[in-house]
């Protein structure tokens, strides 16, 4: 996977995050007109519950860290990231 493809997937995860925050409460869903229902609950509510953008970010960041580690620059990069984390 290229860096550009990873950036595209991060963009999709951001859109999922927006979708999740827009439709995670039934009061927000009721403000819109829903066309598909499962039982008495709109499908968009079920879809927002299934969207998990944090998992996308974790998988993509883990993939990126593995790629950096395979190239041989992982040790220096890892310690720099840990140092920045503790400084903040």
């Amino acid at each position: 996977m290229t860096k550009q493809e990873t950036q595209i997937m991060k963009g999709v995860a951001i859109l999922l995050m927006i979708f999740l925050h827009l439709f995670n409460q039934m009061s927000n869903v009721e403000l819109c007109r829903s066309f598909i229902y499962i039982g008495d609950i709109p499908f968009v509510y079920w879809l927002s519950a299934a969207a998990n953008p944090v998992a996308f970010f974790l998988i993509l960041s883990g993939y990126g860290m593995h790629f950096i580690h395979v190239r041989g620059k992982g040790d220096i990069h890892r310690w720099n990231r840990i140092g920045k984390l503790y400084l903040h």
Side-chain angles (χ1 to χ4, degrees):
M1 186 175 347
T2 65
K3 190 171 185 174
Q4 182 180 9
E5 291 171 340
T6 305
Q7 293 294 328
I8 291 170
M9 290 182 70
K10 286 181 182 179
V12 169
I14 290 170
L15 292 175
L16 283 174
M17 180 79 72
I18 293 169
F19 184 79
L20 173 68
H21 284 91
L22 285 175
F23 299 111
N24 66 345
Q25 297 175 0
M26 192 56 78
S27 60
N28 292 345
V29 175
E30 291 172 353
L31 295 174
C32 302
R33 182 177 299 172
S34 298
F35 296 111
I36 302 172
Y37 286 87
I38 298 177
D40 292 335
I41 301 174
F43 180 68
V44 72
Y45 181 74
W46 291 103
L47 194 60
S48 70
N52 190 359
V54 175
F56 276 105
F57 283 113
L58 288 175
I59 291 169
L60 291 173
S61 64
Y63 176 77
M65 292 297 288
H66 173 72
F67 187 73
I68 289 172
H69 184 70
V70 167
R71 284 195 318 193
K73 299 179 182 178
D75 292 333
I76 296 169
H77 183 70
R78 180 176 4 146
W79 292 113
N80 286 342
R81 287 178 65 112
I82 291 172
K84 288 179 184 177
L85 178 68
Y86 281 113
L87 285 177
H88 289 290

